[in-house]
Amino acid sequence: MPLFWRISLFNSVVLIAATALLLGPVTVSTPVLLTEAAILTVGLVVILVANVVLLRIGLGPLRQLARAMTTTDLLRPRVRPKVDGDGEIAELITTFNTMLDRLEAERALSAARTLSAQESERHRVAQELYDEVGQTLAAVLLDLKRVADQAPDEVREQLAQVQETTRASLDEIRRIARRLLPGVLEELGLSSALRSLSDEFTDPSLTVRHDIASGLPALGDNADLVLYRVAQEGLTNAARHSGARLVVLTLRRAGDAVELRVRDDGRGFDGSGDTAEGAGIRGMRERALLIGADLAVGPVRGGGTEVRLTVPVTDRIDRVADRVG
């Protein structure tokens, strides 16, 4: 029976019972006797309590649905509200769950297109850095060497400094291009790419250790790229924002999944609220959704922050991403 008719029927029964009592043998003296007042008070309390209990039971699923509506985040999939109640309430919860499924599917498809465009743009920029800017700086470096060989001694030292600056700029451009286009990922695989990435971020102020298990199952090119990009973003955040001295990158099998962890000993990040998350973390969440992975970012005991990406091991290779890419 629909909720409207159930509440109406109960209230009608209560009103009919009250009317029957008034028209029956029960009388009320004037002035009202203490016993009569007690009986009326108890009857009123019973009616009110019964009405409140019915409304609480009947409208309880609506409160749960309202709570789910205010806490739902498409970047953080969670358990759907349980279909409870009868009639319109059950239909409303089912419709809401169906809407969430559709929105998450559309969000995943949109994210796949966006990330595919980002990777294409990264590829183009990296190629231009390699082929144009890098070659131009290499030619300038050779020209500077020829000029330095013919220059007087008093100028040769200054030209040597310019050569070192140019060589450092060329190395930086190559490093940026490697981060934009991880060729080692395509050539040697995920494990080697993560080891190389750890070495790139290691410098005198930051130590990056890696613990990468062997014999990990194949996840597919899209999953490998997502794991690499999440590790890259986690290391970038640790190096730029956390003030960490040590970062540990771990890749291992965890049950029916492959788990990536990037843990630092920096200032920490609580991850509470959307305002605490920048574009980098939201980008990681979008990438995780793209391959059906679970991403968690938060503080760890003893200080610091941990980025944990759990990728389920399945037979599918990122159907949504493959449709776009």
PDB file of all heavy atoms in Angstrom, residues 28-60:
ATOM      1  N   VAL A  28     -17.429  12.793  30.559  1.00  0.00           N
ATOM      2  CA  VAL A  28     -16.466  13.688  31.187  1.00  0.00           C
ATOM      3  C   VAL A  28     -17.244  14.669  32.058  1.00  0.00           C
ATOM      4  O   VAL A  28     -18.172  15.333  31.590  1.00  0.00           O
ATOM      5  CB  VAL A  28     -15.624  14.447  30.136  1.00  0.00           C
ATOM      6  CG1 VAL A  28     -14.640  15.377  30.833  1.00  0.00           C
ATOM      7  CG2 VAL A  28     -14.892  13.460  29.231  1.00  0.00           C
ATOM      8  N   SER A  29     -16.907  14.685  33.305  1.00  0.00           N
ATOM      9  CA  SER A  29     -17.613  15.551  34.247  1.00  0.00           C
ATOM     10  C   SER A  29     -17.168  16.994  34.091  1.00  0.00           C
ATOM     11  O   SER A  29     -16.131  17.300  33.503  1.00  0.00           O
ATOM     12  CB  SER A  29     -17.354  15.079  35.685  1.00  0.00           C
ATOM     13  OG  SER A  29     -17.724  13.722  35.834  1.00  0.00           O
ATOM     14  N   THR A  30     -17.983  17.857  34.632  1.00  0.00           N
ATOM     15  CA  THR A  30     -17.641  19.276  34.676  1.00  0.00           C
ATOM     16  C   THR A  30     -17.726  19.731  36.125  1.00  0.00           C
ATOM     17  O   THR A  30     -18.830  19.739  36.703  1.00  0.00           O
ATOM     18  CB  THR A  30     -18.594  20.118  33.811  1.00  0.00           C
ATOM     19  OG1 THR A  30     -18.550  19.613  32.488  1.00  0.00           O
ATOM     20  CG2 THR A  30     -18.157  21.569  33.821  1.00  0.00           C
ATOM     21  N   PRO A  31     -16.653  20.107  36.767  1.00  0.00           N
ATOM     22  CA  PRO A  31     -15.276  20.092  36.229  1.00  0.00           C
ATOM     23  C   PRO A  31     -14.744  18.678  36.079  1.00  0.00           C
ATOM     24  O   PRO A  31     -15.286  17.738  36.652  1.00  0.00           O
ATOM     25  CB  PRO A  31     -14.495  20.863  37.292  1.00  0.00           C
ATOM     26  CG  PRO A  31     -15.232  20.604  38.551  1.00  0.00           C
ATOM     27  CD  PRO A  31     -16.705  20.557  38.171  1.00  0.00           C
ATOM     28  N   VAL A  32     -13.661  18.524  35.282  1.00  0.00           N
ATOM     29  CA  VAL A  32     -13.092  17.208  34.979  1.00  0.00           C
ATOM     30  C   VAL A  32     -12.461  16.622  36.235  1.00  0.00           C
ATOM     31  O   VAL A  32     -11.700  17.287  36.941  1.00  0.00           O
ATOM     32  CB  VAL A  32     -12.012  17.338  33.864  1.00  0.00           C
ATOM     33  CG1 VAL A  32     -11.420  15.966  33.556  1.00  0.00           C
ATOM     34  CG2 VAL A  32     -12.628  17.974  32.625  1.00  0.00           C
ATOM     35  N   LEU A  33     -12.812  15.367  36.468  1.00  0.00           N
ATOM     36  CA  LEU A  33     -12.227  14.676  37.604  1.00  0.00           C
ATOM     37  C   LEU A  33     -10.785  14.277  37.307  1.00  0.00           C
ATOM     38  O   LEU A  33     -10.372  14.173  36.149  1.00  0.00           O
ATOM     39  CB  LEU A  33     -13.058  13.429  37.948  1.00  0.00           C
ATOM     40  CG  LEU A  33     -14.515  13.684  38.347  1.00  0.00           C
ATOM     41  CD1 LEU A  33     -15.223  12.355  38.595  1.00  0.00           C
ATOM     42  CD2 LEU A  33     -14.581  14.568  39.594  1.00  0.00           C
ATOM     43  N   LEU A  34     -10.008  14.017  38.354  1.00  0.00           N
ATOM     44  CA  LEU A  34      -8.593  13.681  38.179  1.00  0.00           C
ATOM     45  C   LEU A  34      -8.439  12.385  37.402  1.00  0.00           C
ATOM     46  O   LEU A  34      -7.584  12.279  36.521  1.00  0.00           O
ATOM     47  CB  LEU A  34      -7.932  13.561  39.557  1.00  0.00           C
ATOM     48  CG  LEU A  34      -6.418  13.255  39.540  1.00  0.00           C
ATOM     49  CD1 LEU A  34      -5.662  14.342  38.808  1.00  0.00           C
ATOM     50  CD2 LEU A  34      -5.904  13.106  40.982  1.00  0.00           C
ATOM     51  N   THR A  35      -9.262  11.391  37.717  1.00  0.00           N
ATOM     52  CA  THR A  35      -9.157  10.110  37.003  1.00  0.00           C
ATOM     53  C   THR A  35      -9.509  10.273  35.524  1.00  0.00           C
ATOM     54  O   THR A  35      -8.882   9.664  34.642  1.00  0.00           O
ATOM     55  CB  THR A  35     -10.076   9.073  37.651  1.00  0.00           C
ATOM     56  OG1 THR A  35     -11.415   9.590  37.706  1.00  0.00           O
ATOM     57  CG2 THR A  35      -9.615   8.740  39.052  1.00  0.00           C
ATOM     58  N   GLU A  36     -10.533  11.087  35.252  1.00  0.00           N
ATOM     59  CA  GLU A  36     -10.906  11.318  33.853  1.00  0.00           C
ATOM     60  C   GLU A  36      -9.794  12.058  33.103  1.00  0.00           C
ATOM     61  O   GLU A  36      -9.477  11.728  31.953  1.00  0.00           O
ATOM     62  CB  GLU A  36     -12.204  12.122  33.799  1.00  0.00           C
ATOM     63  CG  GLU A  36     -13.411  11.374  34.368  1.00  0.00           C
ATOM     64  CD  GLU A  36     -14.645  12.246  34.440  1.00  0.00           C
ATOM     65  OE1 GLU A  36     -14.495  13.507  34.373  1.00  0.00           O
ATOM     66  OE2 GLU A  36     -15.747  11.692  34.547  1.00  0.00           O
ATOM     67  N   ALA A  37      -9.181  13.028  33.730  1.00  0.00           N
ATOM     68  CA  ALA A  37      -8.077  13.744  33.092  1.00  0.00           C
ATOM     69  C   ALA A  37      -6.905  12.811  32.815  1.00  0.00           C
ATOM     70  O   ALA A  37      -6.249  12.889  31.764  1.00  0.00           O
ATOM     71  CB  ALA A  37      -7.631  14.907  33.979  1.00  0.00           C
ATOM     72  N   ALA A  38      -6.637  11.886  33.765  1.00  0.00           N
ATOM     73  CA  ALA A  38      -5.539  10.927  33.571  1.00  0.00           C
ATOM     74  C   ALA A  38      -5.831  10.014  32.389  1.00  0.00           C
ATOM     75  O   ALA A  38      -4.954   9.729  31.566  1.00  0.00           O
ATOM     76  CB  ALA A  38      -5.317  10.130  34.839  1.00  0.00           C
ATOM     77  N   ILE A  39      -7.086   9.559  32.286  1.00  0.00           N
ATOM     78  CA  ILE A  39      -7.454   8.672  31.180  1.00  0.00           C
ATOM     79  C   ILE A  39      -7.313   9.397  29.836  1.00  0.00           C
ATOM     80  O   ILE A  39      -6.778   8.866  28.863  1.00  0.00           O
ATOM     81  CB  ILE A  39      -8.879   8.139  31.371  1.00  0.00           C
ATOM     82  CG1 ILE A  39      -8.941   7.214  32.590  1.00  0.00           C
ATOM     83  CG2 ILE A  39      -9.361   7.409  30.130  1.00  0.00           C
ATOM     84  CD1 ILE A  39     -10.330   6.748  32.939  1.00  0.00           C
ATOM     85  N   LEU A  40      -7.815  10.638  29.778  1.00  0.00           N
ATOM     86  CA  LEU A  40      -7.700  11.410  28.535  1.00  0.00           C
ATOM     87  C   LEU A  40      -6.246  11.666  28.156  1.00  0.00           C
ATOM     88  O   LEU A  40      -5.867  11.602  26.990  1.00  0.00           O
ATOM     89  CB  LEU A  40      -8.459  12.733  28.685  1.00  0.00           C
ATOM     90  CG  LEU A  40      -9.974  12.637  28.777  1.00  0.00           C
ATOM     91  CD1 LEU A  40     -10.590  14.015  29.045  1.00  0.00           C
ATOM     92  CD2 LEU A  40     -10.549  12.049  27.491  1.00  0.00           C
ATOM     93  N   THR A  41      -5.426  11.958  29.180  1.00  0.00           N
ATOM     94  CA  THR A  41      -4.015  12.228  28.911  1.00  0.00           C
ATOM     95  C   THR A  41      -3.307  10.991  28.367  1.00  0.00           C
ATOM     96  O   THR A  41      -2.544  11.056  27.397  1.00  0.00           O
ATOM     97  CB  THR A  41      -3.309  12.723  30.180  1.00  0.00           C
ATOM     98  OG1 THR A  41      -3.968  13.900  30.660  1.00  0.00           O
ATOM     99  CG2 THR A  41      -1.843  13.008  29.905  1.00  0.00           C
ATOM    100  N   VAL A  42      -3.575   9.830  28.998  1.00  0.00           N
ATOM    101  CA  VAL A  42      -2.968   8.574  28.528  1.00  0.00           C
ATOM    102  C   VAL A  42      -3.414   8.267  27.104  1.00  0.00           C
ATOM    103  O   VAL A  42      -2.601   7.868  26.252  1.00  0.00           O
ATOM    104  CB  VAL A  42      -3.319   7.425  29.492  1.00  0.00           C
ATOM    105  CG1 VAL A  42      -2.898   6.083  28.901  1.00  0.00           C
ATOM    106  CG2 VAL A  42      -2.649   7.631  30.839  1.00  0.00           C
ATOM    107  N   GLY A  43      -4.701   8.465  26.813  1.00  0.00           N
ATOM    108  CA  GLY A  43      -5.185   8.211  25.459  1.00  0.00           C
ATOM    109  C   GLY A  43      -4.523   9.117  24.429  1.00  0.00           C
ATOM    110  O   GLY A  43      -4.153   8.673  23.333  1.00  0.00           O
ATOM    111  N   LEU A  44      -4.371  10.401  24.793  1.00  0.00           N
ATOM    112  CA  LEU A  44      -3.724  11.334  23.874  1.00  0.00           C
ATOM    113  C   LEU A  44      -2.267  10.952  23.633  1.00  0.00           C
ATOM    114  O   LEU A  44      -1.775  11.000  22.497  1.00  0.00           O
ATOM    115  CB  LEU A  44      -3.817  12.753  24.435  1.00  0.00           C
ATOM    116  CG  LEU A  44      -3.146  13.856  23.599  1.00  0.00           C
ATOM    117  CD1 LEU A  44      -3.791  13.936  22.221  1.00  0.00           C
ATOM    118  CD2 LEU A  44      -3.247  15.199  24.320  1.00  0.00           C
ATOM    119  N   VAL A  45      -1.584  10.570  24.718  1.00  0.00           N
ATOM    120  CA  VAL A  45      -0.177  10.167  24.580  1.00  0.00           C
ATOM    121  C   VAL A  45      -0.055   8.939  23.694  1.00  0.00           C
ATOM    122  O   VAL A  45       0.839   8.859  22.830  1.00  0.00           O
ATOM    123  CB  VAL A  45       0.451   9.926  25.961  1.00  0.00           C
ATOM    124  CG1 VAL A  45       1.820   9.258  25.833  1.00  0.00           C
ATOM    125  CG2 VAL A  45       0.562  11.239  26.731  1.00  0.00           C
ATOM    126  N   VAL A  46      -0.955   7.958  23.889  1.00  0.00           N
ATOM    127  CA  VAL A  46      -0.919   6.751  23.061  1.00  0.00           C
ATOM    128  C   VAL A  46      -1.121   7.090  21.595  1.00  0.00           C
ATOM    129  O   VAL A  46      -0.427   6.570  20.702  1.00  0.00           O
ATOM    130  CB  VAL A  46      -1.973   5.747  23.553  1.00  0.00           C
ATOM    131  CG1 VAL A  46      -2.124   4.583  22.559  1.00  0.00           C
ATOM    132  CG2 VAL A  46      -1.595   5.201  24.923  1.00  0.00           C
ATOM    133  N   ILE A  47      -2.073   7.978  21.311  1.00  0.00           N
ATOM    134  CA  ILE A  47      -2.336   8.372  19.928  1.00  0.00           C
ATOM    135  C   ILE A  47      -1.111   9.064  19.320  1.00  0.00           C
ATOM    136  O   ILE A  47      -0.692   8.765  18.183  1.00  0.00           O
ATOM    137  CB  ILE A  47      -3.568   9.286  19.864  1.00  0.00           C
ATOM    138  CG1 ILE A  47      -4.830   8.496  20.236  1.00  0.00           C
ATOM    139  CG2 ILE A  47      -3.707   9.905  18.478  1.00  0.00           C
ATOM    140  CD1 ILE A  47      -6.077   9.348  20.326  1.00  0.00           C
ATOM    141  N   LEU A  48      -0.515   9.985  20.075  1.00  0.00           N
ATOM    142  CA  LEU A  48       0.642  10.721  19.546  1.00  0.00           C
ATOM    143  C   LEU A  48       1.840   9.799  19.327  1.00  0.00           C
ATOM    144  O   LEU A  48       2.530   9.886  18.307  1.00  0.00           O
ATOM    145  CB  LEU A  48       1.015  11.851  20.506  1.00  0.00           C
ATOM    146  CG  LEU A  48       0.012  13.000  20.611  1.00  0.00           C
ATOM    147  CD1 LEU A  48       0.474  14.018  21.655  1.00  0.00           C
ATOM    148  CD2 LEU A  48      -0.172  13.686  19.258  1.00  0.00           C
ATOM    149  N   VAL A  49       2.092   8.903  20.290  1.00  0.00           N
ATOM    150  CA  VAL A  49       3.233   7.986  20.151  1.00  0.00           C
ATOM    151  C   VAL A  49       3.038   7.061  18.958  1.00  0.00           C
ATOM    152  O   VAL A  49       3.969   6.818  18.182  1.00  0.00           O
ATOM    153  CB  VAL A  49       3.425   7.187  21.456  1.00  0.00           C
ATOM    154  CG1 VAL A  49       4.426   6.048  21.243  1.00  0.00           C
ATOM    155  CG2 VAL A  49       3.905   8.096  22.575  1.00  0.00           C
ATOM    156  N   ALA A  50       1.823   6.532  18.825  1.00  0.00           N
ATOM    157  CA  ALA A  50       1.553   5.643  17.694  1.00  0.00           C
ATOM    158  C   ALA A  50       1.749   6.368  16.364  1.00  0.00           C
ATOM    159  O   ALA A  50       2.297   5.822  15.408  1.00  0.00           O
ATOM    160  CB  ALA A  50       0.137   5.080  17.802  1.00  0.00           C
ATOM    161  N   ASN A  51       1.307   7.624  16.314  1.00  0.00           N
ATOM    162  CA  ASN A  51       1.458   8.400  15.078  1.00  0.00           C
ATOM    163  C   ASN A  51       2.932   8.657  14.772  1.00  0.00           C
ATOM    164  O   ASN A  51       3.384   8.537  13.625  1.00  0.00           O
ATOM    165  CB  ASN A  51       0.708   9.727  15.224  1.00  0.00           C
ATOM    166  CG  ASN A  51       0.386  10.344  13.876  1.00  0.00           C
ATOM    167  OD1 ASN A  51       0.213   9.644  12.892  1.00  0.00           O
ATOM    168  ND2 ASN A  51       0.302  11.666  13.847  1.00  0.00           N
ATOM    169  N   VAL A  52       3.715   9.001  15.819  1.00  0.00           N
ATOM    170  CA  VAL A  52       5.135   9.260  15.619  1.00  0.00           C
ATOM    171  C   VAL A  52       5.867   7.997  15.174  1.00  0.00           C
ATOM    172  O   VAL A  52       6.721   8.036  14.270  1.00  0.00           O
ATOM    173  CB  VAL A  52       5.760   9.825  16.917  1.00  0.00           C
ATOM    174  CG1 VAL A  52       7.285   9.830  16.824  1.00  0.00           C
ATOM    175  CG2 VAL A  52       5.250  11.233  17.178  1.00  0.00           C
ATOM    176  N   VAL A  53       5.531   6.855  15.807  1.00  0.00           N
ATOM    177  CA  VAL A  53       6.192   5.594  15.438  1.00  0.00           C
ATOM    178  C   VAL A  53       5.900   5.241  13.989  1.00  0.00           C
ATOM    179  O   VAL A  53       6.801   4.842  13.229  1.00  0.00           O
ATOM    180  CB  VAL A  53       5.738   4.464  16.380  1.00  0.00           C
ATOM    181  CG1 VAL A  53       6.206   3.107  15.860  1.00  0.00           C
ATOM    182  CG2 VAL A  53       6.276   4.696  17.784  1.00  0.00           C
ATOM    183  N   LEU A  54       4.649   5.392  13.571  1.00  0.00           N
ATOM    184  CA  LEU A  54       4.312   5.085  12.183  1.00  0.00           C
ATOM    185  C   LEU A  54       5.062   5.973  11.215  1.00  0.00           C
ATOM    186  O   LEU A  54       5.624   5.517  10.219  1.00  0.00           O
ATOM    187  CB  LEU A  54       2.800   5.224  11.974  1.00  0.00           C
ATOM    188  CG  LEU A  54       2.353   5.044  10.516  1.00  0.00           C
ATOM    189  CD1 LEU A  54       2.582   3.607  10.067  1.00  0.00           C
ATOM    190  CD2 LEU A  54       0.904   5.447  10.322  1.00  0.00           C
ATOM    191  N   LEU A  55       5.084   7.277  11.498  1.00  0.00           N
ATOM    192  CA  LEU A  55       5.779   8.194  10.599  1.00  0.00           C
ATOM    193  C   LEU A  55       7.282   7.918  10.568  1.00  0.00           C
ATOM    194  O   LEU A  55       7.917   8.002   9.510  1.00  0.00           O
ATOM    195  CB  LEU A  55       5.521   9.641  11.034  1.00  0.00           C
ATOM    196  CG  LEU A  55       4.087  10.149  10.829  1.00  0.00           C
ATOM    197  CD1 LEU A  55       3.945  11.565  11.383  1.00  0.00           C
ATOM    198  CD2 LEU A  55       3.706  10.125   9.354  1.00  0.00           C
ATOM    199  N   ARG A  56       7.844   7.569  11.736  1.00  0.00           N
ATOM    200  CA  ARG A  56       9.280   7.294  11.775  1.00  0.00           C
ATOM    201  C   ARG A  56       9.631   6.046  10.955  1.00  0.00           C
ATOM    202  O   ARG A  56      10.609   6.017  10.218  1.00  0.00           O
ATOM    203  CB  ARG A  56       9.747   7.127  13.221  1.00  0.00           C
ATOM    204  CG  ARG A  56      11.258   6.989  13.349  1.00  0.00           C
ATOM    205  CD  ARG A  56      11.694   7.012  14.799  1.00  0.00           C
ATOM    206  NE  ARG A  56      13.137   6.983  14.925  1.00  0.00           N
ATOM    207  CZ  ARG A  56      13.929   8.040  14.836  1.00  0.00           C
ATOM    208  NH1 ARG A  56      13.383   9.235  14.601  1.00  0.00           N
ATOM    209  NH2 ARG A  56      15.230   7.926  14.959  1.00  0.00           N
ATOM    210  N   ILE A  57       8.806   5.011  11.107  1.00  0.00           N
ATOM    211  CA  ILE A  57       9.044   3.790  10.343  1.00  0.00           C
ATOM    212  C   ILE A  57       8.825   4.033   8.852  1.00  0.00           C
ATOM    213  O   ILE A  57       9.610   3.603   7.997  1.00  0.00           O
ATOM    214  CB  ILE A  57       8.133   2.656  10.852  1.00  0.00           C
ATOM    215  CG1 ILE A  57       8.507   2.291  12.295  1.00  0.00           C
ATOM    216  CG2 ILE A  57       8.231   1.440   9.951  1.00  0.00           C
ATOM    217  CD1 ILE A  57       7.585   1.263  12.916  1.00  0.00           C
ATOM    218  N   GLY A  58       7.740   4.730   8.553  1.00  0.00           N
ATOM    219  CA  GLY A  58       7.420   4.943   7.140  1.00  0.00           C
ATOM    220  C   GLY A  58       8.376   5.873   6.426  1.00  0.00           C
ATOM    221  O   GLY A  58       8.682   5.682   5.250  1.00  0.00           O
ATOM    222  N   LEU A  59       8.855   6.910   7.139  1.00  0.00           N
ATOM    223  CA  LEU A  59       9.717   7.910   6.508  1.00  0.00           C
ATOM    224  C   LEU A  59      11.202   7.662   6.756  1.00  0.00           C
ATOM    225  O   LEU A  59      12.034   8.435   6.286  1.00  0.00           O
ATOM    226  CB  LEU A  59       9.340   9.306   7.021  1.00  0.00           C
ATOM    227  CG  LEU A  59       7.901   9.746   6.765  1.00  0.00           C
ATOM    228  CD1 LEU A  59       7.670  11.135   7.333  1.00  0.00           C
ATOM    229  CD2 LEU A  59       7.577   9.722   5.277  1.00  0.00           C
ATOM    230  N   GLY A  60      11.546   6.601   7.517  1.00  0.00           N
ATOM    231  CA  GLY A  60      12.945   6.304   7.781  1.00  0.00           C
ATOM    232  C   GLY A  60      13.779   6.143   6.521  1.00  0.00           C
ATOM    233  O   GLY A  60      14.874   6.706   6.399  1.00  0.00           O
TER     234      GLY A  60
END
